[in-house]
Amino acid sequence: MIIVLGPGTTKDAIEYITKKIEDAGLKPLVSSGVERTVINVIGDERILDKNQFEAIPCVEKIIPILKPYKFASREFKQENTVIKVDGVEIGGNKIVIIAGPCSVEGKEQIIEIAKAVKEKGAGMLRGGAFKPRTSPYAFQGLEEEGLKHLKEAKKEIGLPIVSELMDTKDIELLLEYVDVIQIGARNMQNFSLLKEIGKINKPILLKRGMSATINEFLMAAEYILAGGNQQIILCERGIRTFIDHSRNTLDISGIAVLKELTHLPVISDPSHAGGKAKLVTPLALASIAVGCDGLLVEVHQDPERAFSDGEQSLNLDAFGKLMDEAGKVAEALGRTI
Amino acid sequence: MIIVLGPGTTKDAIEYITKKIEDAGLKPLVSSGVERTVINVIGDERILDKNQFEAIPCVEKIIPILKPYKFASREFKQENTVIKVDGVEIGGNKIVIIAGPCSVEGKEQIIEIAKAVKEKGAGMLRGGAFKPRTSPYAFQGLEEEGLKHLKEAKKEIGLPIVSELMDTKDIELLLEYVDVIQIGARNMQNFSLLKEIGKINKPILLKRGMSATINEFLMAAEYILAGGNQQIILCERGIRTFIDHSRNTLDISGIAVLKELTHLPVISDPSHAGGKAKLVTPLALASIAVGCDGLLVEVHQDPERAFSDGEQSLNLDAFGKLMDEAGKVAEALGRTI
Amino acid sequence: MIIVLGPGTTKDAIEYITKKIEDAGLKPLVSSGVERTVINVIGDERILDKNQFEAIPCVEKIIPILKPYKFASREFKQENTVIKVDGVEIGGNKIVIIAGPCSVEGKEQIIEIAKAVKEKGAGMLRGGAFKPRTSPYAFQGLEEEGLKHLKEAKKEIGLPIVSELMDTKDIELLLEYVDVIQIGARNMQNFSLLKEIGKINKPILLKRGMSATINEFLMAAEYILAGGNQQIILCERGIRTFIDHSRNTLDISGIAVLKELTHLPVISDPSHAGGKAKLVTPLALASIAVGCDGLLVEVHQDPERAFSDGEQSLNLDAFGKLMDEAGKVAEALGRTI
Amino acid sequence: MIIVLGPGTTKDAIEYITKKIEDAGLKPLVSSGVERTVINVIGDERILDKNQFEAIPCVEKIIPILKPYKFASREFKQENTVIKVDGVEIGGNKIVIIAGPCSVEGKEQIIEIAKAVKEKGAGMLRGGAFKPRTSPYAFQGLEEEGLKHLKEAKKEIGLPIVSELMDTKDIELLLEYVDVIQIGARNMQNFSLLKEIGKINKPILLKRGMSATINEFLMAAEYILAGGNQQIILCERGIRTFIDHSRNTLDISGIAVLKELTHLPVISDPSHAGGKAKLVTPLALASIAVGCDGLLVEVHQDPERAFSDGEQSLNLDAFGKLMDEAGKVAEALGRTI
């Protein structure tokens, strides 16, 4: 941590601050420049409360040097984490495609889609049973019934299941029915939920909040890791910006930066990022080119009749085309799909 | 709802869409322009699924005409909603100041602050017992113990209590100890939580998410209203933008727009918007000038030793000064404080 | 400047960097922490090229300590700069209102508005002769004819004139006709233009670019100051964010931060920030409450027939009402209008 | 254009508006819904001033239906525009790489880089002679001397030259020395400059402003097209958002959307988007995967000694590696490089 003091800071104030640092067992190193005095804090600064120092009137700014997360960092663990889900590995050389409808709408629907996406090469099946909807009047998901349909689809078709958890009270239910628990963008900083899923033994697919920085995203993962659950898949799904030609702005450089900063697998959700079917394949290819470990794609056998997110769902043909092109780009970069 | 069709849309496609509208009991009105055909939907468009229409290939865009929320709108209820909390009214002519520390740190601390802010004119006491913190390693709040201290402070000093609820499992606890339940910015779209607090009979202070549009904010309120709870105080607390000179960007026009669109009281949180003590009073005055119904202000008797948010907490003197100036601006605009 | 080195940086690399610093006549101070080595640069870091250091592979990040601008800073000049324009002072205790139409549309129009806004208390007249329009097919301004009308209005009514300069080739023209040269938001980083107006002796009203940071805004002012022109009025006019309920997002805290960082007068443009007539007065009052030195307001005698910006122009009655309320808020804070 | 009227709009007001539409030679189509009356305007709405209608009190909102640009649109010209620059074609199947230093620093430097990038497959040489710098104290470019060095490099090595124009007064100079005139992001809405380059016969590389929407970007191109110059290359270079892990946020979906909306070639600048050398290649690959027609890449033989942008410049080896990988991704998608 570096503490920059404003012009005119008194000797007494400097002593007060250095004492505060020493009292915490760290070492302050004062250097007085031409216009500013700067104090370097030597030691593990994470034990200091940055905000307490910022509250001291003469402090101009505080610059943390160490990353605030530990278990999520490449410095803590250099090699890539590979997560195994019922025989499917994510985080390795093979890019994993997780496909399926936004919402589970019925048993036949989910089985039909599961069959189709498996044939085209998907590695896991996604489908929402509990749906976070902006409007209280919109379809809210089939809840436990939906989870049952997903389990049925797995039994028939064999793909591992990814589905979203929205509340701590439903954890047991999800544990019973699904293989990967998804935490949605709106719950990325639902810390009560993060703490609870830190205690379980089930892979987590954690979506980035729509206005989360990379630091905040990794700190959300750190909540889960600190709780003991090491199986986390990070998912970039677009951030909110001023643009209006796509639903969100896929933070394509964020994928590259995440791959550098953390050992956890990083996947991309081109469906929510684009928000329109015709943008999904271009964004999927870009995500693979930039280095993601998987894709989360909304697929529906009849998007015009989808209960939710129809406008951004690929139909089965379009999904097949995505898989073809994604395979070529992956291969060009020495990966498989 | 207006449906704009792309160039070259066939007659068959138009018939398909108009039938879909009629099947829902609404009336389509087709007008063919020079370059585009447009379909107006007459009737309560909220029963249609916008996304299903967007999934039809020839549809270029969909423009909703009606507001997606109902109970939250001024059209539903024209006069201002005034919420009564233990004799304190919010939403009327008097601007209510809710002050107190970010976190409850102990019984003496909270009583000392409660006493001081009451003397200077605050109408309610805020204090966090459950704390949403970016880092799992930061102070997470005293939880039930903190709630007990708040209740003690109320008993001694008499101010109604505002404190944050983070998870559905703690609702009973909050109902027992506090007068207003706060929902934090990170939980604005925690729909499970919104549904549960829609069922209770206790005022809610709902903070705007840091990347929420005004529409999404009012839809979050609509979740609570649709559940039956009509006592909601909306709180603007700054949005996330590219700027870095304040913690967030206070959406000052958002306050004016909310006052126009909804009958619910609207307050401002200059502490989280500014993120620095010296910005709190200027932003508080601007909020009053633009028409807010109250302020939520972080106050601490010793910000340098605060367990959280020290850098943006006012000390007692600074809070006194804020109250003086706020009083003058309120009076200039025909309001009291 | 503080240089943070990545983990595993070699001794040789540290020596290479310290030598580079010493060669520039500055003093490096190396401190090795637990996980990172940090080099403080003592001396006037502004002579170093930050980007050259960032290009060195072992460098993790560079943190400038000194502000990049000099003449614009409060540290260079503590007391407020007061700019005199034909007897009108801006930057002092009196808040100056600059009002008028978006575009000059004719001689009678501008004289009628000038007369009306003067009666209601405006201190200067604004009116565009050269108009920066998003569309090449929109009205582009009356150009020199418009400037002549403005001069005529000044002769008849007596208010000093503010009008926009868009290109270096028109400087002579503007110098002849106007009292304050406005540089629009889209030209805030038109460095050729900034250099030229740095050489003239005429007050400049510099509008903040819609995605400019405060630092970039002050650096744009620094271009003009470094050229020798000390008469600059800074104007906050809203930034671009994800919100869509106002044309731009008035960065209300930016006004407070500017007043702290610079001695130059700071005014607010509630018309462009709000983009709708009904938002102009609330934003004007908030701007005064937060501490601005003036307002730039679009006023038109018949907004429905305005050649440009009709939707955000106040009619004469609404402007009168704004002046009344603005006067009360100013007075409450010990200022006049 | 669709005009949505607020609740309670009178018959007189509707008549007033329909007359205004008819007076402009267009046809109004009124449809009264349950809660709102809507007026469709049939005919070329671009002749109406949207803002004048917005200024009418009963108008709630205006929704344009037609795109505001004409010559830039795919509807105006369906097939891709291919621009020929000294034998190099841009906009066709072959992806063109434009490489070179941020600034021309001397004759030897530019010739050395030109030679190296040509060997590795670049199709054009970039180099700045007039530099838009945030700070007035930073290196501002060699100006005409730099242009001479570029011409010399072309003579020796043979690559066509791209260099930036910052001011109308330098057009003649640029016309003499360069093959493609670049307009920088900060000048995207310098309308005086756009009008002037609309009159010349030289290809233009137009960079997107850092907070420009796609609409505004295409309207800037429309200024040039409307002036008569049809040779425009559009360049996405990242937008400003809240994130701080890259210099800007590459709007990767923007590239796909531009390819759909316009016939003009679209290239990507991964150097300015990423702002760090290690992000350049990942972003370049993503840009190719999403469908761009070319890349603009900063390359320097010794980034640590670059006069500008050293931190985001690739050295020659890194550029060679980029070309190898870019070639593979291009080939996977049926294109060449």
Side-chain angles (χ1 to χ4, degrees):
Chain A
M1 193 158 88
I2 288 166
I3 302 169
V4 181
L5 304 175
T9 300
T10 62
K11 229 177 128 181
D12 278 5
I14 295 174
E15 270 173 30
Y16 171 79
I17 294 170
T18 54
K19 187 166 180 315
K20 216 171 146 99
I21 294 166
E22 285 163 351
D23 287 353
L26 303 176
K27 199 181 138 199
L29 192 80
V30 180
S31 59
S32 294
V34 179
E35 301 184 21
R36 293 284 186 286
T37 292
V38 165
I39 303 175
N40 282 18
V41 179
I42 312 294
D44 190 343
E45 68 191 46
R46 281 173 288 228
I47 63 173
L48 294 181
D49 186 333
K50 174 175 168 289
N51 293 348
Q52 289 192 347
F53 284 92
E54 285 179 322
I56 302 171
C58 65
V59 170
E60 196 170 276
K61 62 178 167 181
I62 298 287
I63 303 144
I65 295 302
L66 301 184
K67 297 191 174 71
Y69 46 85
K70 185 176 167 184
F71 299 125
S73 74
R74 278 260 181 228
E75 291 167 32
F76 177 75
K77 178 166 181 284
Q78 297 208 325
E79 68 279 17
N80 286 339
T81 288
V82 176
I83 294 171
K84 283 174 198 140
V85 184
D86 252 17
V88 176
E89 288 190 349
I90 188 157
N93 191 60
K94 186 177 164 75
I95 294 166
V96 177
I97 311 301
I98 306 169
C102 176
S103 298
V104 180
E105 298 168 10
K107 191 172 138 186
E108 286 68 33
Q109 175 240 20
I110 192 69
I111 290 177
E112 180 184 346
I113 298 180
K115 197 173 163 216
V117 299
K118 193 185 180 191
E119 277 173 12
K120 294 178 197 299
M124 297 194 213
L125 178 68
R126 60 151 291 157
F130 294 91
K131 297 299 309 169
R133 303 301 300 274
T134 303
S135 168
Y137 310 122
F139 175 62
Q140 307 277 319
L142 295 181
E143 306 195 349
E144 186 167 3
E145 192 195 333
L147 294 176
K148 283 180 182 162
H149 296 330
L150 283 166
K151 196 154 195 176
E152 204 66 36
K154 182 181 177 185
K155 210 172 124 191
E156 291 239 357
I157 311 296
L159 293 178
I161 300 299
V162 182
S163 199
E164 180 164 350
L165 168 69
M166 285 175 61
D167 195 59
T168 52
K169 72 179 185 300
D170 301 316
I171 290 184
E172 289 308 317
L173 213 53
L174 272 282
L175 280 175
E176 188 183 337
Y177 289 105
V178 313
D179 301 291
V180 176
I181 290 179
Q182 177 175 318
I183 301 297
R186 289 171 188 77
N187 278 320
M188 190 203 85
Q189 289 193 320
N190 181 337
F191 300 114
S192 302
L193 198 54
L194 298 180
K195 282 178 191 174
E196 290 304 316
I197 58 173
K199 297 175 192 162
I200 64 177
N201 180 23
K202 180 79 83 173
I204 305 297
L205 191 162
L206 178 65
K207 298 189 87 171
R208 180 177 173 190
M210 76 171 81
S211 63
T213 61
I214 291 293
N215 241 0
E216 289 166 344
F217 191 17
L218 290 172
M219 287 306 280
E222 187 81 4
Y223 260 93
I224 304 169
L225 292 163
N229 188 346
Q230 308 299 312
Q231 307 172 74
I232 305 173
I233 301 158
L234 300 173
C235 180
E236 161 62 27
R237 44 77 76 203
I239 57 172
R240 184 157 274 181
T241 69
F242 68 85
I243 68 154
D244 56 4
H245 58 260
S246 54
R247 182 170 170 181
N248 294 287
T249 297
L250 184 69
D251 180 12
I252 193 83
S253 73
I255 297 174
V257 168
L258 282 168
K259 288 300 299 175
E260 181 198 343
L261 295 176
T262 185
H263 51 87
L264 297 168
V266 179
I267 69 171
S268 172
D269 175 349
S271 305
H272 282 84
K276 292 172 191 167
K278 64 187 161 193
L279 287 175
V280 175
T281 297
L283 294 181
L285 301 183
S287 299
I288 291 175
V290 92
C292 76
D293 298 310
L295 297 174
L296 187 67
V297 184
E298 288 188 348
V299 179
H300 196 281
Q301 71 273 70
D302 186 2
E304 296 175 29
R305 288 192 176 74
F307 288 11
S308 54
D309 278 2
E311 82 288 7
Q312 70 192 32
S313 295
L314 296 185
N315 61 29
L316 300 176
D317 278 356
F319 178 65
K321 200 159 159 293
L322 178 152
M323 290 300 291
D324 286 348
E325 298 192 25
K328 289 180 202 159
V329 174
E331 197 188 353
L333 297 166
R335 299 185 75 165
T336 59
I337 205 157
Chain B
M1 193 158 87
I2 289 166
I3 302 171
V4 181
L5 304 175
T9 300
T10 62
K11 229 178 129 181
D12 279 3
I14 295 173
E15 270 173 29
Y16 170 81
I17 294 170
T18 54
K19 185 162 183 320
K20 214 169 148 99
I21 294 165
E22 285 163 352
D23 288 352
L26 302 176
K27 199 182 139 200
L29 192 80
V30 180
S31 60
S32 294
V34 179
E35 302 183 23
R36 294 284 187 285
T37 292
V38 165
I39 303 175
N40 282 18
V41 179
I42 312 294
D44 190 344
E45 68 191 46
R46 280 172 289 226
I47 64 172
L48 295 180
D49 187 334
K50 174 176 169 287
N51 292 348
Q52 288 192 347
F53 285 91
E54 284 179 324
I56 301 171
C58 66
V59 171
E60 194 170 278
K61 61 179 168 181
I62 300 285
I63 302 145
I65 295 301
L66 301 183
K67 298 193 173 71
Y69 46 87
K70 185 176 169 187
F71 299 126
S73 74
R74 277 260 181 228
E75 291 167 30
F76 176 75
K77 178 166 182 285
Q78 297 208 325
E79 69 280 13
N80 287 339
T81 288
V82 176
I83 294 171
K84 284 174 198 140
V85 184
D86 251 17
V88 176
E89 289 191 350
I90 188 158
N93 191 60
K94 187 178 162 77
I95 294 166
V96 177
I97 312 301
I98 307 168
C102 176
S103 299
V104 179
E105 299 168 10
K107 189 172 140 187
E108 286 68 34
Q109 176 241 19
I110 193 69
I111 290 177
E112 181 184 346
I113 298 180
K115 198 174 163 214
V117 299
K118 192 185 180 192
E119 277 172 14
K120 293 175 198 299
M124 297 194 214
L125 178 67
R126 58 152 291 156
F130 295 90
K131 297 300 308 169
R133 303 302 299 276
T134 303
S135 167
Y137 310 122
F139 175 62
Q140 307 275 319
L142 295 181
E143 306 195 348
E144 187 167 4
E145 193 196 333
L147 294 175
K148 283 180 180 162
H149 296 331
L150 284 165
K151 195 153 195 178
E152 203 67 34
K154 182 182 178 187
K155 210 171 126 193
E156 291 238 359
I157 311 296
L159 293 177
I161 301 298
V162 181
S163 198
E164 181 163 349
L165 169 69
M166 286 176 60
D167 195 58
T168 52
K169 72 177 185 304
D170 300 316
I171 290 183
E172 290 307 316
L173 213 53
L174 271 281
L175 281 175
E176 188 183 338
Y177 290 105
V178 312
D179 301 292
V180 176
I181 290 179
Q182 177 175 318
I183 301 297
R186 291 170 186 78
N187 278 320
M188 190 203 85
Q189 288 193 320
N190 180 336
F191 299 115
S192 303
L193 197 54
L194 298 180
K195 283 178 190 171
E196 290 303 316
I197 59 172
K199 298 175 192 161
I200 65 178
N201 179 23
K202 180 78 84 175
I204 304 297
L205 191 163
L206 178 66
K207 298 188 88 172
R208 180 176 174 192
M210 76 169 85
S211 63
T213 61
I214 291 294
N215 242 0
E216 288 167 345
F217 191 18
L218 289 172
M219 287 306 280
E222 188 81 3
Y223 260 92
I224 304 169
L225 292 163
N229 187 347
Q230 308 300 312
Q231 306 170 76
I232 305 173
I233 301 159
L234 301 172
C235 181
E236 159 63 26
R237 45 77 75 203
I239 56 172
R240 185 157 273 183
T241 70
F242 68 84
I243 68 154
D244 57 5
H245 58 261
S246 54
R247 182 169 170 183
N248 294 286
T249 297
L250 184 69
D251 180 12
I252 193 82
S253 73
I255 296 174
V257 169
L258 283 168
K259 288 300 298 175
E260 181 197 343
L261 295 176
T262 185
H263 51 87
L264 297 168
V266 179
I267 69 171
S268 171
D269 175 350
S271 305
H272 282 84
K276 291 172 191 166
K278 64 187 161 194
L279 288 175
V280 175
T281 297
L283 295 181
L285 301 184
S287 299
I288 291 176
V290 92
C292 76
D293 298 309
L295 297 174
L296 188 67
V297 185
E298 288 188 347
V299 179
H300 196 281
Q301 71 272 69
D302 186 2
E304 296 175 28
R305 288 191 177 74
F307 288 12
S308 54
D309 278 1
E311 83 289 6
Q312 69 192 32
S313 296
L314 295 185
N315 61 27
L316 302 176
D317 278 356
F319 178 64
K321 201 160 157 292
L322 178 153
M323 290 300 291
D324 286 348
E325 298 192 24
K328 289 180 202 160
V329 174
E331 197 187 353
L333 297 165
R335 299 186 76 165
T336 59
I337 204 157
Chain C
M1 193 158 89
I2 288 167
I3 302 170
V4 181
L5 304 175
T9 299
T10 61
K11 228 178 131 182
D12 279 3
I14 295 173
E15 270 173 28
Y16 170 80
I17 294 169
T18 53
K19 186 163 181 319
K20 215 169 146 99
I21 294 165
E22 285 163 352
D23 287 352
L26 303 176
K27 199 181 138 200
L29 193 80
V30 180
S31 59
S32 294
V34 179
E35 301 183 23
R36 292 286 185 286
T37 292
V38 166
I39 303 176
N40 282 18
V41 179
I42 312 293
D44 190 344
E45 68 191 45
R46 281 174 287 227
I47 63 172
L48 295 181
D49 186 334
K50 176 174 169 286
N51 292 349
Q52 289 193 346
F53 284 92
E54 284 180 322
I56 301 172
C58 66
V59 170
E60 195 170 279
K61 63 178 166 182
I62 299 285
I63 302 145
I65 296 302
L66 301 184
K67 298 192 172 72
Y69 46 86
K70 185 178 168 185
F71 299 126
S73 74
R74 278 260 181 228
E75 292 167 29
F76 176 74
K77 178 165 181 285
Q78 298 207 327
E79 69 279 15
N80 286 338
T81 288
V82 177
I83 294 171
K84 283 173 199 141
V85 185
D86 252 17
V88 176
E89 289 191 351
I90 189 158
N93 191 60
K94 187 177 164 76
I95 294 166
V96 177
I97 312 302
I98 307 169
C102 176
S103 299
V104 180
E105 298 168 9
K107 189 172 140 189
E108 286 68 33
Q109 175 241 19
I110 193 69
I111 290 177
E112 181 185 346
I113 298 180
K115 197 173 162 214
V117 299
K118 192 186 180 192
E119 277 173 14
K120 293 175 198 299
M124 297 195 214
L125 178 68
R126 61 151 290 155
F130 294 91
K131 296 300 308 169
R133 302 301 301 275
T134 303
S135 167
Y137 310 123
F139 174 62
Q140 307 276 319
L142 295 182
E143 307 195 348
E144 187 168 2
E145 192 196 333
L147 294 175
K148 283 179 182 163
H149 296 329
L150 284 165
K151 196 153 194 177
E152 204 67 35
K154 183 181 176 186
K155 209 170 125 194
E156 291 237 0
I157 311 297
L159 292 177
I161 300 299
V162 181
S163 198
E164 181 165 350
L165 168 69
M166 286 176 61
D167 195 58
T168 52
K169 71 177 184 303
D170 300 317
I171 290 184
E172 290 307 316
L173 214 53
L174 271 282
L175 281 175
E176 188 183 337
Y177 289 105
V178 312
D179 300 292
V180 176
I181 289 179
Q182 177 175 318
I183 301 297
R186 290 171 187 78
N187 278 319
M188 191 203 83
Q189 289 193 319
N190 180 336
F191 300 116
S192 303
L193 198 54
L194 298 179
K195 283 178 190 173
E196 291 302 317
I197 58 172
K199 297 175 193 161
I200 64 177
N201 180 23
K202 180 79 86 175
I204 304 297
L205 191 163
L206 178 66
K207 298 188 88 172
R208 180 177 173 190
M210 75 170 84
S211 63
T213 62
I214 291 294
N215 241 359
E216 289 167 343
F217 191 18
L218 289 173
M219 287 307 278
E222 188 81 4
Y223 260 92
I224 304 169
L225 292 163
N229 188 346
Q230 308 300 311
Q231 307 171 74
I232 305 173
I233 301 159
L234 301 172
C235 180
E236 160 63 27
R237 44 76 77 204
I239 55 172
R240 184 156 274 182
T241 70
F242 67 85
I243 68 155
D244 57 4
H245 57 261
S246 54
R247 181 168 170 184
N248 294 286
T249 297
L250 184 69
D251 180 12
I252 192 83
S253 73
I255 296 174
V257 169
L258 282 169
K259 287 300 297 175
E260 182 198 343
L261 295 176
T262 185
H263 52 87
L264 297 168
V266 179
I267 69 171
S268 172
D269 175 350
S271 305
H272 282 84
K276 291 173 190 165
K278 65 187 160 193
L279 287 175
V280 175
T281 297
L283 295 181
L285 301 183
S287 298
I288 291 176
V290 92
C292 76
D293 298 309
L295 297 174
L296 187 67
V297 185
E298 288 189 346
V299 179
H300 196 282
Q301 71 273 68
D302 186 2
E304 296 175 27
R305 288 192 176 75
F307 289 11
S308 54
D309 279 1
E311 83 288 8
Q312 69 192 32
S313 296
L314 295 185
N315 61 27
L316 301 176
D317 278 356
F319 178 64
K321 201 159 158 293
L322 178 153
M323 289 301 290
D324 286 348
E325 298 192 24
K328 289 181 202 159
V329 174
E331 197 188 353
L333 297 165
R335 298 185 77 166
T336 59
I337 204 158
Chain D
M1 193 158 87
I2 288 166
I3 302 170
V4 181
L5 304 175
T9 300
T10 62
K11 229 178 130 181
D12 279 2
I14 295 173
E15 271 172 29
Y16 170 80
I17 294 170
T18 53
K19 184 164 183 317
K20 216 171 146 99
I21 294 165
E22 285 162 353
D23 287 352
L26 304 176
K27 199 181 139 201
L29 193 80
V30 179
S31 59
S32 294
V34 179
E35 301 183 22
R36 293 284 186 287
T37 292
V38 165
I39 303 175
N40 283 17
V41 178
I42 313 294
D44 190 343
E45 67 191 47
R46 282 173 286 226
I47 64 172
L48 294 181
D49 186 333
K50 174 175 169 287
N51 292 349
Q52 289 192 346
F53 285 91
E54 284 179 323
I56 301 172
C58 66
V59 170
E60 196 171 277
K61 61 178 168 181
I62 299 286
I63 302 144
I65 295 303
L66 301 183
K67 296 191 175 72
Y69 45 86
K70 184 177 170 186
F71 298 125
S73 74
R74 278 258 181 229
E75 291 166 32
F76 176 76
K77 177 165 182 285
Q78 297 208 325
E79 69 281 16
N80 286 338
T81 288
V82 177
I83 294 170
K84 283 172 200 143
V85 184
D86 252 17
V88 176
E89 288 191 350
I90 188 158
N93 191 60
K94 186 178 164 76
I95 294 166
V96 177
I97 312 302
I98 306 169
C102 177
S103 298
V104 180
E105 298 168 10
K107 191 173 139 185
E108 285 69 33
Q109 176 240 20
I110 193 69
I111 290 177
E112 180 183 347
I113 297 181
K115 197 174 163 213
V117 299
K118 192 186 180 190
E119 277 172 14
K120 293 175 198 301
M124 296 194 215
L125 178 68
R126 60 151 290 157
F130 295 91
K131 298 299 309 169
R133 303 301 300 276
T134 304
S135 168
Y137 310 122
F139 175 62
Q140 307 276 319
L142 295 181
E143 306 196 348
E144 186 167 4
E145 193 196 331
L147 294 176
K148 283 180 181 162
H149 296 331
L150 284 165
K151 195 152 195 178
E152 203 68 33
K154 183 180 177 187
K155 210 172 125 191
E156 291 237 359
I157 311 296
L159 293 177
I161 300 299
V162 181
S163 198
E164 181 164 351
L165 169 68
M166 286 176 62
D167 195 58
T168 52
K169 72 177 185 300
D170 300 317
I171 290 184
E172 289 307 316
L173 213 54
L174 271 283
L175 280 175
E176 187 183 339
Y177 290 105
V178 312
D179 300 292
V180 176
I181 290 179
Q182 177 176 317
I183 301 297
R186 290 171 187 78
N187 279 319
M188 190 202 86
Q189 290 194 320
N190 180 336
F191 301 114
S192 302
L193 198 54
L194 298 179
K195 282 178 191 173
E196 291 302 317
I197 58 173
K199 298 174 191 162
I200 64 177
N201 180 22
K202 180 79 83 174
I204 304 298
L205 191 163
L206 179 65
K207 299 188 85 170
R208 181 178 174 192
M210 76 170 83
S211 64
T213 62
I214 291 294
N215 242 359
E216 289 167 344
F217 191 17
L218 289 172
M219 288 306 279
E222 188 81 4
Y223 260 92
I224 304 169
L225 292 163
N229 187 347
Q230 307 300 312
Q231 307 171 75
I232 305 173
I233 302 158
L234 301 173
C235 180
E236 160 62 27
R237 45 77 76 203
I239 55 172
R240 185 157 273 182
T241 69
F242 68 84
I243 68 153
D244 57 5
H245 58 261
S246 53
R247 182 169 170 183
N248 293 287
T249 297
L250 183 69
D251 180 11
I252 192 82
S253 73
I255 296 174
V257 169
L258 282 169
K259 288 300 299 174
E260 182 198 343
L261 294 176
T262 186
H263 52 88
L264 297 169
V266 179
I267 69 171
S268 171
D269 175 350
S271 305
H272 282 83
K276 291 173 190 166
K278 65 186 161 194
L279 287 175
V280 175
T281 297
L283 294 181
L285 301 183
S287 298
I288 291 175
V290 93
C292 76
D293 298 309
L295 297 175
L296 187 67
V297 185
E298 288 189 346
V299 179
H300 196 281
Q301 71 272 71
D302 186 2
E304 295 175 29
R305 288 192 176 74
F307 288 11
S308 54
D309 279 2
E311 81 289 6
Q312 69 192 33
S313 296
L314 295 185
N315 61 29
L316 300 176
D317 278 356
F319 178 64
K321 201 158 158 293
L322 178 153
M323 290 299 292
D324 286 349
E325 299 192 25
K328 289 180 201 159
V329 174
E331 196 188 354
L333 297 166
R335 298 186 76 166
T336 59
I337 204 158

